[in-house]
Protein backbone atom coordinates (compact mmCIF):
# COMPACT_ATOMS: atom_id res chain seq x y z
CA UNK A 1 0.00 0.00 0.00
CA UNK A 2 1.79 3.12 -1.26
CA UNK A 3 2.29 5.78 1.41
CA UNK A 4 2.46 8.83 -0.91
CA UNK A 5 1.03 8.25 -4.36
CA UNK A 6 1.09 10.59 -7.31
CA UNK A 7 -0.71 10.42 -10.63
CA UNK A 8 0.13 10.48 -13.42
CA UNK A 9 3.70 9.15 -13.36
CA UNK A 10 4.38 10.52 -16.82
CA UNK A 11 2.77 13.44 -18.57
CA UNK A 12 3.62 14.65 -22.09
CA UNK A 13 1.80 17.70 -23.36
CA UNK A 14 2.01 20.68 -25.68
CA UNK A 15 2.95 24.22 -24.73
CA UNK A 16 -0.05 26.28 -23.71
CA UNK A 17 -2.06 23.36 -22.33
CA UNK A 18 -3.36 23.07 -18.76
CA UNK A 19 -2.60 19.96 -16.70
CA UNK A 20 -3.01 18.64 -13.18
CA UNK A 21 -1.03 16.27 -10.99
CA UNK A 22 -2.73 14.58 -8.05
CA UNK A 23 -1.22 13.45 -4.78
CA UNK A 24 -2.61 11.40 -1.92
CA UNK A 25 -1.02 10.21 1.30
CA UNK A 26 -2.32 7.50 3.62
CA UNK A 27 0.12 8.13 6.45
CA UNK A 28 -2.13 10.41 8.48
CA UNK A 29 0.40 13.23 8.03
CA UNK A 30 -0.57 16.85 8.59
CA UNK A 31 1.67 18.59 6.08
CA UNK A 32 2.05 18.04 2.34
CA UNK A 33 4.53 19.55 -0.11
CA UNK A 34 5.23 19.99 -3.79
CA UNK A 35 8.84 20.00 -4.95
CA UNK A 36 10.19 20.55 -8.46
CA UNK A 37 13.34 18.66 -9.52
CA UNK A 38 15.16 19.92 -12.59
CA UNK A 39 17.39 17.98 -14.96
CA UNK A 40 20.41 18.57 -12.70
CA UNK A 41 18.53 16.96 -9.79
CA UNK A 42 18.19 20.25 -7.92
CA UNK A 43 15.14 20.17 -5.62
CA UNK A 44 13.10 23.31 -5.17
CA UNK A 45 10.22 23.67 -2.73
CA UNK A 46 7.13 25.13 -4.36
CA UNK A 47 4.23 24.87 -1.93
CA UNK A 48 3.26 23.37 1.38
CA UNK A 49 -0.07 22.87 3.11
CA UNK A 50 -0.67 22.05 6.75
CA UNK A 51 -4.18 20.74 7.49
CA UNK A 52 -5.45 22.31 4.24
CA UNK A 53 -3.88 25.69 5.01
CA UNK A 54 -1.20 27.12 2.71
CA UNK A 55 1.97 27.66 4.75
CA UNK A 56 4.75 27.81 2.18
CA UNK A 57 4.41 29.57 -1.15
CA UNK A 58 7.79 30.09 -2.76
CA UNK A 59 8.40 32.30 -5.75
CA UNK A 60 6.43 30.30 -8.27
CA UNK A 61 4.59 31.69 -11.34
CA UNK A 62 0.87 32.28 -10.86
CA UNK A 63 0.25 29.62 -13.50
CA UNK A 64 0.87 27.07 -10.73
CA UNK A 65 -2.02 26.63 -8.33
CA UNK A 66 -2.10 24.08 -5.53
CA UNK A 67 -5.33 22.79 -4.01
CA UNK A 68 -5.79 20.76 -0.85
CA UNK A 69 -9.37 19.46 -0.53
CA UNK A 70 -8.43 17.65 2.69
CA UNK A 71 -5.24 16.96 4.59
CA UNK A 72 -4.64 13.67 2.74
CA UNK A 73 -4.67 15.25 -0.73
CA UNK A 74 -2.66 17.97 -2.42
CA UNK A 75 -3.11 18.58 -6.13
CA UNK A 76 -1.12 20.80 -8.45
CA UNK A 77 -2.70 22.52 -11.42
CA UNK A 78 -0.56 24.20 -14.04
CA UNK A 79 -2.00 26.62 -16.61
CA UNK A 80 -0.49 27.64 -19.94
CA UNK A 81 2.39 25.20 -19.76
CA UNK A 82 5.80 26.40 -20.90
CA UNK A 83 8.92 24.51 -22.01
CA UNK A 84 10.65 25.46 -18.75
CA UNK A 85 8.00 23.65 -16.75
CA UNK A 86 9.45 20.33 -17.91
CA UNK A 87 10.71 18.62 -14.76
CA UNK A 88 9.92 15.92 -12.26
CA UNK A 89 7.40 17.06 -9.65
CA UNK A 90 7.50 15.35 -6.27
CA UNK A 91 4.79 15.30 -3.68
CA UNK A 92 5.86 14.71 -0.09
CA UNK A 93 4.33 14.67 3.37
CA UNK A 94 5.42 14.94 7.00
CA UNK A 95 3.85 14.35 10.39
CA UNK A 96 3.85 17.74 12.05
CA UNK A 97 1.68 17.78 15.13
CA UNK A 98 4.58 19.05 17.22
CA UNK A 99 6.57 20.94 14.55
CA UNK A 100 9.63 18.97 15.58
CA UNK A 101 12.55 19.36 13.25
CA UNK A 102 13.02 15.59 13.53
CA UNK A 103 9.91 14.83 11.49
CA UNK A 104 10.79 12.85 8.39
CA UNK A 105 9.70 13.84 4.91
CA UNK A 106 8.17 10.99 2.88
CA UNK A 107 8.22 11.36 -0.91
CA UNK A 108 6.08 10.05 -3.70
CA UNK A 109 7.65 8.43 -6.75
CA UNK A 110 7.43 11.61 -8.83
CA UNK A 111 5.55 12.80 -11.90
CA UNK A 112 7.68 13.50 -14.95
CA UNK A 113 6.22 16.36 -16.96
CA UNK A 114 7.48 16.94 -20.52
CA UNK A 115 6.29 20.02 -22.35
CA UNK A 116 6.80 19.96 -26.14
CA UNK B 1 18.88 31.96 5.75
CA UNK B 2 19.47 28.27 6.37
CA UNK B 3 21.46 26.39 3.75
CA UNK B 4 23.11 23.06 2.98
CA UNK B 5 26.27 22.64 0.93
CA UNK B 6 27.28 19.30 -0.54
CA UNK B 7 30.34 18.27 -2.46
CA UNK B 8 30.01 18.38 -6.22
CA UNK B 9 29.60 15.11 -8.02
CA UNK B 10 29.73 12.82 -9.69
CA UNK B 11 31.71 10.58 -7.39
CA UNK B 12 32.94 7.43 -9.13
CA UNK B 13 34.27 4.54 -7.05
CA UNK B 14 35.15 0.91 -7.52
CA UNK B 15 33.16 -1.70 -5.64
CA UNK B 16 34.30 -2.14 -2.01
CA UNK B 17 35.91 1.31 -1.91
CA UNK B 18 35.38 3.70 1.02
CA UNK B 19 32.84 6.47 0.48
CA UNK B 20 32.69 9.95 1.95
CA UNK B 21 30.23 12.59 0.77
CA UNK B 22 30.75 15.91 2.50
CA UNK B 23 27.89 18.01 3.79
CA UNK B 24 28.03 21.25 5.75
CA UNK B 25 25.20 23.47 6.86
CA UNK B 26 24.30 26.89 8.18
CA UNK B 27 21.25 27.30 10.37
CA UNK B 28 19.92 30.01 12.66
CA UNK B 29 18.21 27.50 14.90
CA UNK B 30 19.12 24.02 16.04
CA UNK B 31 18.39 21.75 13.09
CA UNK B 32 17.78 18.06 12.57
CA UNK B 33 19.91 16.64 9.78
CA UNK B 34 19.02 14.06 7.16
CA UNK B 35 20.47 12.08 4.29
CA UNK B 36 18.10 11.05 1.54
CA UNK B 37 18.89 8.74 -1.38
CA UNK B 38 17.32 8.78 -4.83
CA UNK B 39 17.74 5.68 -6.98
CA UNK B 40 17.27 6.07 -10.75
CA UNK B 41 13.67 6.72 -11.69
CA UNK B 42 12.46 6.82 -8.09
CA UNK B 43 11.53 9.34 -5.42
CA UNK B 44 13.75 10.27 -2.51
CA UNK B 45 13.94 7.89 0.46
CA UNK B 46 15.19 8.64 3.93
CA UNK B 47 18.58 7.00 4.44
CA UNK B 48 19.39 8.21 7.95
CA UNK B 49 18.93 11.14 10.30
CA UNK B 50 20.35 12.75 13.43
CA UNK B 51 18.51 15.16 15.67
CA UNK B 52 21.15 16.51 18.04
CA UNK B 53 24.87 17.14 18.31
CA UNK B 54 27.08 14.03 18.37
CA UNK B 55 24.18 11.79 17.31
CA UNK B 56 25.17 9.19 14.74
CA UNK B 57 22.62 8.11 12.17
CA UNK B 58 23.15 4.76 10.48
CA UNK B 59 21.38 2.54 7.99
CA UNK B 60 22.38 -0.07 5.37
CA UNK B 61 26.07 0.36 6.25
CA UNK B 62 25.94 4.16 5.83
CA UNK B 63 26.77 6.43 8.76
CA UNK B 64 26.82 10.15 9.46
CA UNK B 65 27.62 12.02 12.68
CA UNK B 66 26.08 15.38 13.60
CA UNK B 67 29.07 17.66 14.29
CA UNK B 68 27.90 20.96 15.71
CA UNK B 69 31.41 22.39 16.10
CA UNK B 70 32.16 21.98 12.38
CA UNK B 71 28.50 22.27 11.24
CA UNK B 72 28.92 19.08 9.25
CA UNK B 73 27.08 15.82 8.59
CA UNK B 74 29.34 13.83 6.27
CA UNK B 75 28.04 10.55 4.86
CA UNK B 76 30.35 7.52 4.99
CA UNK B 77 30.28 3.89 4.01
CA UNK B 78 33.11 1.45 4.46
CA UNK B 79 32.56 -0.68 1.37
CA UNK B 80 30.27 0.48 -1.43
CA UNK B 81 28.38 -1.80 -3.77
CA UNK B 82 27.15 -1.30 -7.33
CA UNK B 83 23.63 -1.13 -5.91
CA UNK B 84 24.59 2.02 -3.96
CA UNK B 85 24.76 3.98 -7.23
CA UNK B 86 22.28 6.80 -6.72
CA UNK B 87 21.99 10.51 -5.95
CA UNK B 88 22.47 11.43 -2.29
CA UNK B 89 20.91 14.54 -0.74
CA UNK B 90 21.83 16.14 2.55
CA UNK B 91 19.00 18.11 4.19
CA UNK B 92 18.09 19.98 7.34
CA UNK B 93 14.99 21.11 9.10
CA UNK B 94 14.88 23.52 12.01
CA UNK B 95 12.38 22.90 14.81
CA UNK B 96 9.41 25.28 14.64
CA UNK B 97 9.52 25.55 10.85
CA UNK B 98 7.93 23.50 8.10
CA UNK B 99 10.68 23.93 5.57
CA UNK B 100 13.21 21.25 4.66
CA UNK B 101 16.36 22.65 3.06
CA UNK B 102 18.10 20.31 0.61
CA UNK B 103 21.61 20.34 -0.78
CA UNK B 104 22.17 20.10 -4.51
CA UNK B 105 22.66 16.32 -4.43
CA UNK B 106 25.76 14.23 -5.11
CA UNK B 107 25.65 11.52 -7.73
CA UNK B 108 27.51 8.33 -6.79
CA UNK B 109 28.49 5.81 -9.42
CA UNK B 110 29.98 2.50 -8.27
CA UNK B 111 31.76 0.36 -10.85
CA UNK B 112 32.01 -3.42 -10.63
Amino acid sequence: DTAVSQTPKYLVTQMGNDKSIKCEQNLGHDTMYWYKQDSKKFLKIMFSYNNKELIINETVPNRFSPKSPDKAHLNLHINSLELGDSAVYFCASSHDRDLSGANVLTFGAGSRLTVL
Amino acid sequence: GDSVTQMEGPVTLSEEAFLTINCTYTATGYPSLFWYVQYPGEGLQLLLKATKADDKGSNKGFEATYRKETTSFHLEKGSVQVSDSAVYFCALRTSGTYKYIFGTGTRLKVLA
Side-chain angles (χ1 to χ4, degrees):
Chain A
D1 203 16
T2 307
V4 180
S5 58
Q6 301 178 223
T7 53
K9 191 169 172 64
Y10 299 97
L11 192 50
V12 181
T13 189
Q14 299 287 330
M15 271 176 53
N17 284 350
D18 303 339
K19 290 293 176 188
S20 292
I21 307 172
K22 296 186 175 182
C23 179
E24 176 182 2
Q25 55 95 2
N26 63 6
L27 297 166
H29 285 173
D30 304 289
T31 308
M32 295 185 72
Y33 303 77
W34 278 111
Y35 282 84
K36 180 181 180 181
Q37 187 176 48
D38 63 22
S39 58
K40 294 184 179 177
K41 300 296 185 183
F42 182 68
L43 268 174
K44 180 183 173 183
I45 178 76
M46 300 174 71
F47 302 103
S48 179
Y49 275 73
N50 176 264
N51 285 312
K52 302 194 296 176
E53 182 185 342
L54 182 66
I55 53 169
I56 296 175
N57 185 357
E58 295 292 285
T59 307
V60 175
N62 290 340
R63 301 181 294 102
F64 289 79
S65 52
K67 274 209 174 93
S68 181
D70 55 61
K71 76 172 195 177
H73 295 84
L74 180 60
N75 304 323
L76 182 65
H77 188 75
I78 315 170
N79 289 326
S80 304
L81 279 156
E82 300 178 357
L83 293 177
D85 298 332
S86 295
V88 181
Y89 292 85
F90 285 102
C91 179
S93 70
S94 63
H95 171 65
D96 273 317
R97 300 214 176 110
D98 60 0
L99 260 189
S100 163
N103 291 320
V104 171
L105 198 57
T106 302
F107 283 84
S111 297
R112 181 178 293 277
L113 171 65
T114 304
V115 182
L116 304 174
Chain B
D2 295 356
S3 67
V4 173
T5 303
Q6 285 182 239
M7 59 189 286
E8 291 264 346
V11 173
T12 303
L13 296 172
S14 297
E15 211 166 19
E16 298 183 5
F18 185 86
L19 168 71
T20 300
I21 299 178
N22 290 337
C23 171
T24 57
Y25 68 90
T26 57
T28 50
Y30 195 14
S32 292
L33 302 173
F34 307 85
W35 276 102
Y36 281 83
V37 58
Q38 184 179 26
Y39 298 104
E42 297 183 13
L44 282 73
Q45 306 171 24
L46 177 70
L47 182 58
L48 52 85
K49 72 174 188 181
T51 58
K52 59 183 189 297
D54 300 324
D55 264 4
K56 179 187 276 188
S58 60
N59 186 24
K60 299 181 182 179
F62 290 89
E63 291 182 342
T65 301
Y66 189 141
R67 301 279 188 211
K68 193 176 175 201
E69 63 278 9
T70 54
T71 62
S72 65
F73 192 54
H74 304 322
L75 183 68
E76 296 182 335
K77 187 176 185 185
S79 176
V80 292
Q81 306 300 313
V82 172
S83 57
D84 294 326
S85 298
V87 181
Y88 292 80
F89 292 89
C90 185
L92 70 80
R93 176 176 171 175
T94 303
S95 182
T97 72
Y98 289 98
K99 195 181 279 192
Y100 293 82
I101 308 293
F102 283 85
T104 51
T106 302
R107 184 182 297 276
L108 169 66
K109 190 172 180 181
V110 181
L111 305 175

